[in-house]
Structures are given as C-alpha cells and as structure tokens.
Amino acid sequence: MSSFKPTRIQSYPKLGEKVTQDTLYWKNYKTPVQIKEFGAITRIDFSPQSPYNYAVTASTRIHIYGQYSQEPIKTFSRFKDTAYSGTYRSDGQLLVAGSEDSVVRLFDISGRVALRQFSGHSKSVHVTDFTSDKFRILSGSDDYTCRLWDIPNSTELISYKEHTDYVRCGTTSKLNPDLFITGSYDHTVKVFDARTNKSVMTMDHSQPVESVLLFPSGGLLVSAGGRYVKVWDMLKGGQQLVSLKNHHKTVTCLCLSSSGQRLLSGSLDRHVKVYSTATYKAVHSFDYAASVLSVALAPEDEAIVVGMTNGVLNVKHRKHPEEKQEAASRKRRRPAYRFFVKGKNYMPKQDDFLVSKPVKMHLKKYDQQLKSFQVSKALDTVLERRVHIKRPEVTVAVIQELNRRGTLKNALAGRDEKSLTNLLNFLIRYMVDPRFTPVLVDAAEMVLEIYRHVVGQSALIDKQFVRLQETIEKEIDYQEELVEVLGMIDTLVAATTTRKEAATS
C-alpha cells in the first residue's frame, strides 16, 4: 500500500504593494537604533555643518548626538523646566532654545553655560529660530506674542501680538533676514516682515497649527494641523494649492528631504508619510511603535531620526553598496561538514554504499484526520477561524480534496447549527473570490441540497441562507455590468481600428 500523500495547497497570486523607485529608496535603511530619552521628544534639528550632529530636545535637557553615536556627545541641562525647540544656527556654532519658564537661552556648542538669556515673554516659549543674517533670534510663546531679539546687545527689537491663541510653531526665511512665519492654535498662519509693525499675510488653516515649513526657494509654505497638511503659494498672496488628508490623527511635524523633492509629515497615528512635491501624492509610509512628535533627515538623507511620545529616539541609517554586498555574502550557505573532511573535489567510489536515514513525515492536523478517514473533523479543523481567516487557500484545498475523493457530501452532512453557521460564513465570505469560486460553487450547491429541508427551523440559518443568496445575486449583477462595459470597449476599439485602416488606405 502506498504511503499517504499530504493535501497539496495551491499557491495563489497575492496582490502585493507596488514597488516604485520611492519604495526602493525609502526602504534602503538599516535596522533602526533605539535610544531612550528622559521624556517626549519635541524637537530634532541637524547641524547644517559637518560632521552633521543633531540636537534632541526632550524633557529638561538638550542632547547632542553624533550621526553614528548612540550616546550623547554633549548635554545642555541648564534648564529650570521643560526645554523646547533646540535649533542650530546656519554656521553650526550656536544653539537656541525656549523653555517652560518663558526664558530664551543661547548656547555656544563648545560650552555648557548659556551665552545669553532673553527675558520678556510671560509664558512658555515653544518656538525659537535664527534669522538668516545670524544676528537675530525669533521666539514664539504661549502669551500669544512672537518677538525678535538682537544677539549682540541682548535686547528685544520688536514684538507682535496678532495671534489670539498659543504660538506653537514658526520658521524664518533663508533668503530674506526680515521675513518669518508663525503658526498658532487660533488656526492662522501669519507672515511677518520685521520692517513693518504688523503681519503682511494671513492664511486660515482651519485647525490648530502644529508645524510650519518654508521651502528653500521661499515660494511655497507648508502648514500642518489637525489631520491636514496644506500647501500655500506665497507668490500668489497665500493662495492654497493643495490640502492633504493622509493621516487619521493630528499631524505634529514636517520635514523636507535634501533634494526638496519629497515632503515628510509625522503624526500621532504613529506614521510618517512621504509625499512627492511635484504631485503631492503619498509615495511611501513609515510605521512606528508610538505617536510621532518630531522627525528630521540628515544631509543627503543619510539618516532619518524620529522622536516619539514614549521618549524613544528611532534612528535609521542608510545602507551603502559595500554593506549590501557583505550582507549578501553572509546569507550564502556555508559548506557542510563533509566538505571539510573529504575535500572539495571528493567523488564517491563505485563500491561505496550510501546509508540514508528515512525522513519522518510530519502531517498537519487535517491531513492526519483525512488519513484516518475522519472527513467531517478534517473539514471542521480547516473551518476554524484562525485557519480560514489567515489562510483560506488551505480550507479550499481540503474541500477540493474531499470532492475528489467523493466524500464531500458526507463531510457536509449531519452538522449542527454552530458548525453549519461557520461553513455558511466561509462560503459567504469567499464565494465571490475568483480564486476560490470554481470549488466553492460546487460546495454551496451540495449544502443547499442537503439542508433545504431545515429551512424555517432556525432563524440564524435562515438569515445565513438569505445572505448567501444576496451575495450571489449581487455578484451576478456585477458580472452583467462588466459584460456590458466590455461590449462598449470592444465597440470603441473596433471603431478606432476601422478609422486607422481607412486613414492608412
């Protein structure tokens, strides 16, 4: 008697994600490095100058990390309360930060004590930045004001109080030292010119604004707040170009790639989305373990650093070609033991007798039941939720094998209300799947033939039969509509072909 052959599970094509150049580019990062900070990470800023260290603002301190270091190489901890918005100057020599105690502090990267302290705000300062002339500092506070400070004289130059709620984000223009933008919880984004006494442009974001970003050209402005990321044309008086709604929770941070062709947004929904700045369509997405508060890219996109609400800093470094070759070589199978004992060119002799160890066959549970002719139990096993939800092809393969043996009707008969409900649920769910339809149609016909006499005895079973009927009728309607559409397309193609032939003749 021949040995039992396990049920052959047919492999069906799966609809995977579309592989694009962006997919290959943004997946080309190593396994992330996780660094634990003291609190939620509210700001990450890369130094514009080599060696491109980055400042991480979390809790009451600012840590400076090297691009490949896992321990801080420097720490600024002279804050009485929570620190905010640690930002580098364009020469990488100075660092400015706000704090909960309403003081703006200026640090020298090579020192530890604050060089300057600017006092004037009455509430916490969440926004700090340098103007492009390097001699002034922008600050925005919960006291609804934004101010400019003179670094050499440690004095306040000008103060604006046009917002009617907290000022939580802001940025300066890299081209014009007098131009800066602020975003507020009053739903507005305002553009200020230091040479005037009031704002020169106002945009309504319609949500509390969490982050603003100005393109290097100065022509486009991006604002994030609520679930929306909006792009504004500065050259057309702040006209809205596009509104993106790809996140399902509040968007907290924005970032541009080194080339300026990709825009990144982080959100409380634990995702970082990547958009094309040409089409403003999402081209990639990163998933993280906790809500994202800050994101930054190293120059040339060598690393992507993400700060989260749980105080974890996630750092991914780009893979280089030589590292890929090393990884591929490590994956190659190493020579077996006999290779070392007998040598590379060993050939068995004519009189050698090979003793082979029989391979023990391990059968799945449903194959064991089929082997012992327990057809009903085998069908019950593959109808379990953990099987038919994750791998419906296994359930279909067993039904097909039972039909081939001629025992499918026996396996379907004699079922109670619970087991029959499971069977009908599976048929309703996968009957219209084109991969499984040929097999499941036969099974459905047998179920209707066996259990038609029980109609009216169970309200639950009756409901399942009605759902099965509605599913089949709906699918027939879809097929009829598709046939009509196919006829229209054939007519159009035929007409186009006739015109081309006539034109050619």
Side-chain angles (χ1 to χ4, degrees):
M1 184 178 176
S2 61
S3 60
F4 177 81
K5 294 181 179 178
T7 306
R8 188 175 68 86
I9 309 300
Q10 186 175 347
S11 59
Y12 296 93
K14 292 183 179 179
L15 298 175
E17 64 176 340
K18 188 177 179 182
V19 179
T20 63
Q21 291 299 321
D22 279 287
T23 306
L24 299 174
Y25 183 83
W26 294 106
K27 280 194 171 182
N28 190 28
Y29 286 96
K30 303 177 191 175
T31 305
V33 176
Q34 307 274 1
I35 303 172
K36 181 64 178 173
E37 283 288 344
F38 292 93
I41 300 165
T42 54
R43 171 79 173 176
I44 302 167
D45 189 50
F46 272 90
S47 171
Q49 302 297 326
S50 182
Y52 307 119
N53 298 333
Y54 57 94
V56 176
T57 308
S59 187
T60 58
R61 47 188 87 188
I62 299 175
H63 284 153
I64 308 295
Y65 290 90
Q67 196 165 345
Y68 294 97
S69 67
Q70 296 185 26
E71 295 290 334
I73 58 178
K74 195 171 188 61
T75 300
F76 298 102
S77 57
R78 302 298 178 92
F79 294 93
K80 297 177 182 178
D81 209 330
T82 308
Y84 298 111
S85 190
T87 307
Y88 277 101
R89 196 166 72 170
S90 58
D91 58 4
Q93 297 299 315
L94 297 180
L95 184 80
V96 66
S99 66
E100 190 71 30
D101 59 9
S102 75
V103 178
V104 179
R105 291 175 174 83
L106 180 69
F107 297 93
D108 186 347
I109 291 300
S110 58
R112 288 187 177 277
V113 182
L115 290 178
R116 297 276 192 277
Q117 291 194 11
F118 305 94
S119 300
H121 287 291
S122 59
K123 291 186 178 180
S124 58
V125 179
H126 285 258
V127 181
T128 56
D129 201 357
F130 290 95
T131 58
S132 58
D133 60 10
K134 303 179 185 178
F135 300 120
R136 288 176 290 177
I137 290 173
L138 163 68
S139 66
S141 169
D142 284 357
D143 61 8
Y144 309 167
T145 66
C146 52
R147 308 179 187 223
L148 278 180
W149 308 85
D150 182 65
I151 295 176
N153 299 320
S154 299
T155 56
E156 180 184 313
L157 296 176
I158 192 168
S159 174
Y160 298 93
K161 193 176 181 180
E162 295 193 21
H163 288 293
T164 58
D165 208 332
Y166 299 155
V167 180
R168 287 295 174 90
C169 55
T171 186
T172 58
S173 170
K174 306 305 177 190
L175 302 177
N176 188 339
D178 293 313
L179 204 66
F180 61 92
I181 296 103
T182 58
S184 168
Y185 278 10
D186 63 6
H187 300 189
T188 63
V189 178
K190 290 184 180 289
V191 182
F192 294 93
D193 190 326
R195 294 163 293 189
T196 63
N197 294 323
K198 60 180 182 178
S199 61
V200 294
M201 200 182 300
T202 300
M203 284 81 80
D204 183 11
H205 185 84
S206 302
Q207 299 283 337
V209 184
E210 299 284 351
S211 181
V212 291
L213 175 70
L214 190 63
F215 274 64
S217 64
L220 294 176
L221 172 70
V222 187
S223 62
R227 296 169 57 192
Y228 297 90
V229 175
K230 297 187 178 182
V231 183
W232 312 86
D233 191 337
M234 301 283 283
L235 303 180
K236 292 186 178 180
Q239 178 183 340
Q240 182 178 317
L241 291 181
V242 67
S243 178
L244 308 173
K245 192 181 178 183
N246 293 78
H247 292 282
H248 58 269
K249 285 189 179 179
T250 301
V251 184
T252 55
C253 50
L254 298 168
C255 174
L256 266 181
S257 66
S258 300
S259 63
Q261 296 179 355
R262 295 294 180 266
L263 172 69
L264 281 72
S265 66
S267 166
L268 296 180
D269 63 5
R270 303 186 298 105
H271 287 87
V272 172
K273 303 282 185 182
V274 183
Y275 309 92
S276 166
T277 54
T279 61
Y280 295 107
K281 291 184 178 179
V283 295
H284 193 68
S285 178
F286 295 97
D287 188 17
Y288 290 92
S291 299
V292 176
L293 287 182
S294 51
V295 61
L297 278 171
E300 303 302 324
D301 302 341
E302 283 295 310
I304 177 170
V305 185
V306 170
M308 292 175 274
T309 53
N310 60 356
V312 173
L313 189 69
N314 186 293
V315 186
K316 293 181 182 178
H317 295 287
R318 184 167 291 284
K319 294 177 185 175
H320 295 289
E322 57 271 15
E323 292 174 347
K324 290 182 185 177
Q325 292 176 0
E326 289 179 9
S329 63
R330 283 197 298 270
K331 286 182 181 178
R332 291 180 194 147
R333 189 174 179 181
R334 295 182 179 180
Y337 172 75
R338 63 174 177 269
F339 170 84
F340 294 100
V341 175
K342 298 180 179 179
K344 180 180 178 182
N345 301 318
Y346 175 80
M347 294 292 290
K349 297 177 183 178
Q350 188 174 1
D351 298 331
D352 285 352
F353 182 76
L354 179 65
V355 178
S356 59
K357 184 180 180 181
V359 179
K360 188 176 181 180
M361 184 170 57
H362 297 280
L363 296 176
K364 299 284 187 181
K365 186 178 179 180
Y366 54 83
D367 277 328
Q368 294 173 3
Q369 291 163 339
L370 286 175
K371 186 178 180 180
S372 57
F373 303 103
Q374 299 175 1
V375 289
S376 292
K377 288 185 177 180
L379 185 57
D380 289 337
T381 299
V382 294
L383 283 174
E384 291 177 2
R385 185 174 179 81
R386 61 184 176 82
V387 178
H388 83 75
I389 293 294
K390 293 183 178 179
R391 298 196 63 196
E393 63 272 13
V394 174
T395 308
V396 174
V398 170
I399 293 174
Q400 193 171 14
E401 174 65 17
L402 291 171
N403 197 19
R404 187 189 67 81
R405 293 182 177 195
T407 57
L408 179 58
K409 188 172 286 189
N410 295 338
L412 295 174
R415 296 185 165 268
D416 58 13
E417 187 180 61
K418 183 179 178 181
S419 59
L420 183 56
T421 301
N422 291 338
L423 176 61
L424 290 172
N425 281 334
F426 179 79
L427 292 174
I428 292 167
R429 182 165 187 162
Y430 295 105
M431 171 77 81
V432 295
D433 191 321
R435 301 174 298 171
F436 310 138
T437 299
V439 178
L440 297 186
V441 164
D442 293 338
E445 288 179 351
M446 289 185 186
V447 170
L448 293 173
E449 182 183 346
I450 295 169
Y451 293 100
R452 62 186 177 184
H453 65 277
V454 303
V455 173
Q457 297 181 15
S458 169
L460 181 60
I461 299 300
D462 292 349
K463 186 178 179 181
Q464 298 293 78
F465 277 131
V466 171
R467 282 182 58 201
L468 181 61
Q469 181 183 359
E470 290 174 350
T471 303
I472 295 172
E473 288 176 352
K474 192 181 293 184
E475 181 65 20
I476 292 172
D477 292 340
Y478 285 153
Q479 295 293 339
E480 290 176 351
E481 291 177 9
L482 288 173
V483 170
E484 292 176 5
V485 173
L486 185 62
M488 297 175 192
I489 294 173
D490 288 341
T491 305
L492 291 172
V493 172
T496 307
T497 306
T498 305
R499 287 176 187 170
K500 285 184 179 178
E501 290 176 353
T504 305
S505 62

